[in-house]
Amino acid sequence: MAGLATAFSVVSEPVTSGAAAIAAPYLSLVGLTKRFGSAVVVRDVNLDVPRGELLCILGPSGCGKTTLLRLIAGFEAADSGSIRQAGSEISALPPEARDFGIVFQSYALFPNRSAARNIGFGLETLPLSRTERTARIRELLALVGLEGHADKYPSQLSGGQQQRVALARALALSPGLLLLDEPLSALDANVRASLRDELRQLQRRIGITSIMVTHDQQEALSIADRVVVMNAGRIEQIGTPAELYQRPANLFVARFLGEVNALPVTSISGNIVQAGGHAFRLGGSPVPGGSAGYLCFRPSAVRIGMEAAGGAAGTRGRVSSMAFLGDRLRLEIQPEIQNGGPFVAEIPFPRFGNPPGLGDHVTVSVEPDQLFLLDDHG
Amino acid sequence: MAEISAVSGMAARQVRPDPTGQIVPPVLLVVLATATLLPIGALLVRAFLGKDGAFVGLDNFLRYGAEPGLVIAAWNSLSLSMIATVIAMALAFPFAYALVRTAMPGRGIFRLIALLPLLAPSLLPAFGMVYLFGNQGWLKGWLLGESLYGPVGIVIASVFYVFPHAVLILSAGLSAGDQRHYEAARALRAGPWRRFVTVTLPSCRYAAISAASIAFILIFTDFGIPSVVGGSTNVLATDIYKLVIGRFDFEMGAVVGVLLLLPAVVAYGIDWLARKSQRAMITGKSVPIRAERLPLRDLMLFLFATLVAVAILGIIGMAIFGSLVKFWPYNLSLGLQNYERLFTDADEFRALGNSLILAFGTALAGTGLVALSGWLIARKLGNGMVRNGLQGVAMMPVAVPGLVLGLGYVFFFNNPANPLHALQGSLALIILCTVAHFYTVPHLMVVNELLRLDREIDLAAQALRIGPAGTARRIHAPVLLPTLIDVAGYFFVNAMTTVSALIFLFTAQTRPASIAVINLVEGSRIGQASAFAVVIMALSMVAAAIQLTLRHLVIRAQGWRRQTA
């Protein structure tokens, strides 16, 4: 949206994303829609990706995120809408005429080819001499840190190594766009975290515009310049990881990015909100009254003990269940007032003083600036 | 672009479209439909036409019903096939169970012996039986006065014929169970017998249904056995031959063809349903079965398997022995005169040459076609409707008896209006018919092998600007190579031993060895017929040995197949 406007105006608009946006976006989707039979899998998607950005598409399974990626790659044809890449319309082109590299969750390595020959697959049809090709493959192997593994076959490589080969293969033709379809989901937790960081560094270093699909919100938040949250074929929200986490556009986004307490709002006056049987004082300016919805806060925003800094002033409750999460304690609090809904709190562990025990009576409060009002849909 | 350079020549490169997916599937569909769908259609139509080609409704069927002899043949076919199926299953189940579920010694050898008859024409066991139980057989008394020639002979020889097929299907089904079910049953304190009844039997019931259906189809449609040991007992498979070749009553032949086709289609439908349910029972997370050691059971099954193995080797050995005997049963000294005739008589020698041409031609053409159709379907190339058509045409032959297919070829290609009329009487047409007859199993072998290769591999190649043909050459072909060797071996052996589809198609010039065997039987030259059958079996064994060696060498040469990570 910003891109099209600035292309023709002298005054540039403020940049909202974390990455540096150049005048025209590198990739621009307008009104993209895809149906399978009667099911609308991707619904009227509009999205601009500036050059050099790492964008994550995040959503639950079946939300259409992978289909969206396949539309960009050309593996699926859109029913309507346009895709512009580097200034030209590509939505009618077959995949082989587009300019992208792709990495799949399954690695999709050629089983009968060594790491080096997997990486060199796309180079074989180019007018390159053998020396040039070998040099290029060596360069790519070094890029992903697999110098010593050139002659190994996929079956002789670990999952993490296989995915590095897949990445190097995708970059072999120096594409303008890198597509990543759940590239880390098949890996063990430890390998996943380290490869995630490497992927991020590599992407920054070569500055390639990248779109990564994932269902793992932690992965998306930790790696992306911006995150697109999708649900039922629609974009729910686009923003930086911090924006999304702190200011979710609706309850779906809030819930998808992490656990959240959502208490139904019964009334609002000024900045005092009645929700779930409690009274909360919001931080910031008063809210225009009347709009029904939910009062939300993260479990980590709940303060337990004596300090009643604001929020639900004077609320008392009983610890009705407890779980130990390693560095935190997860408590379920049953308020002592009539019709008060239960909510979840997480407190650091170990902490100063004794932690509350099961059945203990505690006082509960939430920082006013950690409270937000949300509707089901934004 | 900090550390990584751009590739030179990228911009200049033109993307050439790869038309493989648009051109190949429709062409292949036309070829395969010509080889299967159209001839079968021609037969079905003929059953409702009169001599003059006019539509006569069910007249031919009424004419058939009015001939008591013919109706009895239909009853014989049904009842004898069912009896033989039941006996074959009763023998094959414990045998397969002993092979895959026990610690019985010598399982590998027993397996080899059980599969041995696959390499011989279906007639070979019948010859062995003639020498043992025939009118001048050594063990004639074992039949308690019954004659071998008739229902007894048909049933026993049929059991031998289908035994290896049933063992193959049953052992595959029995080895696909889940070890955890047995561990759960043990935890619930079920003893061995209870575990067998509550876990093993239910888990292989679909394999049993499938094996029984296939056995029934094979027996019901077999021509070789009843023509050797059938005596005066008529069955549909011999009737269709007599009606067409003896009486030139093509319309009635078509009627019998329909009668052969219907039960086969029904049995195949049952088999298809059973296989679908069997697949649904096996999940990717199943823990493989570990055979349990139960000394008493294993001993009993060992004795049983030994008995079966002795019977198989005895029958085949008897056929070989008989072929070497100078003049059965009066002069039992051994000699090669029965074999000499095959190489000195021009007609017999030509038949041997024809069979080799047929087998090589079928292996070559069949492997090529199957590789193409399996590849198009597994890798989802081209238009979806064309692909569905291809899959349908490729799956059809398995349910069509060879006799029906062969007669369909006569109706379809003998028609002067057919532009392919010129093929009639040629070895090329016999090769086409044989390829079509055995198409389904190899087609599925290719599809299944290629389905194991991730679909995204093709997409990755496409993103690197290499189209389907390029990916086929670079990736799919090397992966598929060992399977193609098996496919070629399958086509070769079946082409060497098949009879049914070809009895309507051969001429004096193109007659293959398997048909020559039948002709020798008709001339009461059992010795020479046995010798010919033994030669066919020997050639099949050589082919099988070459197949296994080649496959082994290829797999060893493909270093990427070794798992070391």
Side-chain angles (χ1 to χ4, degrees):
Chain A
M1 306 153 279
L4 274 174
T6 51
F8 300 100
S9 70
V10 187
V11 191
S12 70
E13 291 187 358
V15 174
T16 50
S17 76
I22 318 171
Y26 178 70
L27 184 77
S28 173
L29 315 181
V30 180
L32 209 57
T33 297
K34 174 69 182 172
R35 293 183 193 83
F36 289 129
S38 61
V40 186
V41 187
V42 171
R43 193 186 294 264
D44 190 27
V45 162
N46 297 290
L47 180 63
D48 284 345
V49 187
R51 192 179 291 275
E53 184 176 72
L54 173 53
L55 181 85
C56 275
I57 304 177
L58 176 67
S61 60
C63 73
K65 56 188 191 297
T66 292
T67 306
L68 184 58
L69 197 77
R70 291 170 64 88
L71 287 171
I72 297 170
F75 296 141
E76 308 282 356
D79 292 312
S80 59
S82 97
I83 307 173
R84 294 181 75 80
Q85 184 179 354
S88 41
E89 176 67 41
I90 60 163
S91 52
L93 296 178
E96 55 268 27
R98 298 187 188 191
D99 180 23
F100 70 95
I102 189 163
V103 176
F104 294 103
Q105 177 181 357
S106 64
Y107 322 135
L109 294 183
F110 308 123
N112 58 328
R113 293 185 153 225
S114 64
R117 295 194 62 224
N118 258 285
I119 296 170
F121 187 81
L123 302 170
E124 283 169 17
T125 52
L126 295 187
L128 294 176
S129 73
R130 178 178 282 269
T131 348
E132 285 175 301
R133 192 178 302 151
T134 317
R136 173 74 178 161
I137 292 172
R138 196 169 302 134
E139 188 184 15
L140 287 156
L141 276 166
L143 187 73
V144 295
L146 285 178
E147 291 94 337
H149 301 279
D151 297 324
K152 289 193 178 160
Y153 290 110
S155 64
Q156 298 166 323
L157 296 170
S158 71
Q161 289 168 333
Q162 289 188 57
Q163 200 54 300
R164 285 161 206 256
V165 175
L167 184 61
R169 183 180 65 180
L171 294 171
L173 296 179
S174 307
L177 179 65
L178 179 63
L179 303 177
L180 303 141
D181 187 3
E182 305 248 7
L184 305 170
S185 303
L187 300 169
D188 294 339
N190 290 335
V191 184
R192 186 164 21 181
S194 66
L195 197 57
R196 182 184 71 199
D197 297 341
E198 272 180 55
L199 186 67
R200 178 52 168 156
Q201 283 170 20
L202 184 80
Q203 188 269 338
R204 282 251 168 84
R205 220 160 33 164
I206 63 177
I208 186 171
T209 312
S210 306
I211 300 178
M212 175 166 131
V213 157
T214 179
H215 66 272
D216 181 336
Q217 82 279 4
Q218 208 194 340
E219 198 171 287
L221 295 180
S222 61
I223 198 174
D225 291 319
R226 283 191 308 157
V227 177
V228 173
V229 179
M230 280 188 75
N231 181 33
R234 257 196 217 93
I235 291 183
E236 297 278 359
Q237 193 176 5
I238 308 176
T240 65
E243 284 166 3
L244 251 55
Y245 194 77
Q246 287 162 359
R247 289 282 165 258
N250 56 46
L251 196 56
F252 175 83
V253 175
R255 285 210 164 115
F256 199 74
L257 293 183
E259 192 172 14
V260 70
N261 291 298
L263 308 177
V265 172
T266 42
S267 74
I268 302 175
S269 65
N271 53 6
I272 302 290
V273 179
Q274 293 285 338
H278 313 278
F280 294 87
R281 185 185 302 123
L282 295 180
S285 50
V287 193
S291 101
Y294 295 89
L295 183 83
C296 302
F297 51 95
R298 301 279 178 202
S300 58
V302 179
R303 299 278 169 272
I304 300 280
M306 301 309 291
E307 68 280 352
T315 299
R316 289 173 59 82
R318 195 175 55 82
V319 179
S320 57
S321 88
M322 252 175 99
F324 176 59
L325 304 178
D327 56 344
R328 287 157 299 149
L329 279 177
R330 184 179 186 279
L331 309 175
E332 199 173 289
I333 311 285
Q334 183 62 51
E336 287 174 0
I337 49 162
Q338 285 274 302
N339 304 323
F343 52 86
V344 173
E346 279 183 14
I347 57 175
F349 182 85
R351 65 170 211 163
F352 297 114
N354 288 328
L358 195 60
D360 282 2
H361 293 269
V362 290
T363 59
V364 185
S365 61
V366 183
E367 303 288 342
D369 61 350
Q370 305 266 358
L371 291 164
F372 41 94
L373 285 166
L374 292 178
D375 281 324
D376 269 341
H377 277 281
Chain B
M1 299 276 161
E3 291 177 20
I4 186 152
S5 56
V7 184
S8 57
M10 278 290 306
R13 194 167 169 273
Q14 293 289 314
V15 179
R16 272 175 293 121
D18 183 344
T20 312
Q22 276 64 55
I23 296 172
V24 181
V27 172
L28 192 64
L29 181 60
V30 170
V31 172
L32 289 184
T34 309
T36 57
L37 188 67
L38 299 180
I40 294 163
L43 175 126
L44 291 179
V45 169
R46 191 66 172 258
F48 299 96
L49 301 182
K51 289 259 181 244
D52 52 358
F55 180 76
V56 294
L58 291 173
D59 269 12
N60 293 326
F61 290 86
L62 296 175
R63 209 148 60 83
Y64 179 88
E67 281 197 47
L70 295 179
V71 178
I72 287 172
W75 167 247
N76 285 342
S77 273
L78 261 181
S79 58
L80 295 180
S81 301
M82 280 181 178
I83 293 167
T85 299
V86 169
I87 298 174
M89 289 297 293
L91 293 171
F93 184 84
F95 198 92
Y97 184 85
L99 285 185
V100 296
R101 288 293 185 90
T102 72
M104 172 184 85
R107 295 193 301 277
I109 305 275
F110 282 124
R111 188 181 183 84
L112 269 182
I113 294 173
L115 300 185
L116 193 59
L118 287 179
L119 297 174
S122 68
L123 296 171
L124 192 81
F127 294 142
M129 285 170 50
V130 167
Y131 291 120
L132 281 175
F133 308 111
N135 291 337
Q136 290 158 328
W138 283 351
L139 306 173
K140 190 168 185 286
W142 286 21
L143 296 183
L144 306 170
E146 286 284 328
S147 168
L148 174 71
Y149 301 97
V152 175
I154 293 177
V155 167
I156 302 178
S158 297
V159 168
F160 271 98
Y161 169 44
V162 299
F163 181 77
H165 296 272
V167 166
L168 266 183
I169 298 169
L170 285 170
S171 56
L174 278 165
S175 55
D178 189 338
Q179 180 68 23
R180 288 170 308 182
H181 295 159
Y182 290 88
E183 283 156 8
R186 278 210 136 145
L188 295 167
R189 298 189 189 163
W193 177 249
R194 200 166 143 75
R195 291 202 294 274
F196 177 76
V197 173
T198 55
V199 183
T200 308
L201 283 185
S203 77
C204 66
R205 62 178 183 272
Y206 296 119
I209 294 170
S210 178
S213 319
I214 295 296
F216 177 83
I217 299 177
L218 287 172
I219 300 169
F220 186 72
T221 63
D222 183 60
F223 174 77
I225 288 170
S227 64
V228 174
V229 292
S232 58
T233 305
N234 283 336
V235 294
L236 288 175
T238 47
D239 265 9
I240 192 174
Y241 181 66
K242 285 176 200 156
L243 285 168
V244 172
I245 302 297
R247 279 168 41 175
F248 295 106
D249 195 338
F250 292 107
E251 290 67 34
M252 202 77 108
V255 168
V256 180
V258 172
L259 293 181
L260 274 171
L261 185 61
L262 285 181
V265 167
V266 169
Y268 177 69
I270 293 171
D271 170 58
W272 182 79
L273 285 175
R275 275 171 206 263
K276 227 173 70 168
S277 314
Q278 174 86 38
R279 266 199 300 277
M281 267 173 30
I282 305 163
T283 66
K285 287 177 185 138
S286 291
V287 178
I289 296 276
R290 260 174 292 126
E292 211 182 335
R293 194 178 290 278
L294 291 172
L296 182 65
R297 178 199 67 181
D298 292 2
L299 178 69
M300 305 272 284
L301 284 170
F302 178 77
L303 293 176
F304 167 77
T306 309
L307 217 64
V308 172
V310 165
I312 292 172
L313 290 178
I315 290 274
I316 291 179
M318 206 58 206
I320 298 173
F321 176 70
S323 73
L324 291 166
V325 159
K326 284 216 166 110
F327 188 46
W328 186 271
Y330 307 108
N331 181 357
L332 291 185
S333 57
L334 302 180
L336 287 171
Q337 76 291 340
N338 283 330
Y339 290 85
E340 277 160 21
R341 167 99 201 254
L342 306 181
F343 298 94
T344 51
D345 183 301
D347 283 346
E348 314 294 9
F349 191 64
R350 189 184 316 114
L352 208 56
N354 284 338
S355 261
L356 285 174
I357 296 172
L358 167 63
F360 276 114
T362 304
L364 216 66
T367 306
L369 286 173
V370 153
L372 217 50
S373 67
W375 176 65
L376 291 172
I377 284 170
R379 305 322 282 177
K380 294 201 185 342
L381 286 157
N383 178 292
M385 299 246 291
V386 174
R387 230 168 35 228
N388 286 344
L390 259 180
Q391 178 71 353
V393 172
M395 294 305 293
M396 196 163 69
V398 81
V400 178
L403 288 164
V404 175
L405 189 66
L407 192 55
Y409 266 56
V410 173
F411 293 148
F412 184 66
F413 290 97
N414 273 15
N415 187 341
N418 188 331
L420 296 168
H421 181 66
L423 280 176
Q424 195 227 331
S426 70
L427 210 47
L429 190 68
I430 293 185
I431 290 173
L432 185 69
C433 181
T434 311
V435 168
H437 185 186
F438 296 106
Y439 202 85
T440 305
V441 170
H443 169 82
L444 286 177
M445 283 161 75
V446 170
V447 169
N448 289 335
E449 184 62 23
L450 282 179
L451 277 180
R452 286 164 31 147
L453 206 58
D454 209 315
R455 164 98 183 111
E456 288 170 344
I457 279 182
D458 298 23
L459 300 183
Q462 207 181 359
L464 295 167
R465 298 172 189 183
I466 302 228
T471 311
R473 187 163 55 79
R474 292 181 170 86
I475 312 297
H476 301 148
V479 168
L480 196 58
L481 192 55
T483 306
L484 289 184
I485 293 171
D486 286 347
V487 163
Y490 179 90
F491 272 122
F492 188 96
V493 168
N494 278 300
M496 279 308 284
T497 56
T498 189
V499 171
S500 53
L502 308 185
I503 58 164
F504 296 119
L505 297 180
F506 74 90
T507 64
Q509 291 303 309
T510 61
R511 188 181 65 143
S514 51
I515 301 283
V517 174
I518 302 235
N519 295 151
L520 286 169
V521 173
E522 286 164 352
S524 295
R525 292 192 171 129
I526 293 288
Q528 281 169 26
S530 307
F532 227 154
V534 169
V535 168
I536 291 172
M537 182 173 72
L539 288 172
S540 299
M541 284 167 126
V542 170
I546 292 175
Q547 172 200 330
L548 290 177
T549 314
L550 217 56
R551 186 195 159 88
H552 177 76
L553 290 178
V554 163
I555 287 181
R556 217 177 51 179
Q558 293 182 326
W560 53 269
R561 288 185 192 269
R562 276 190 285 279
Q563 300 273 334
T564 49

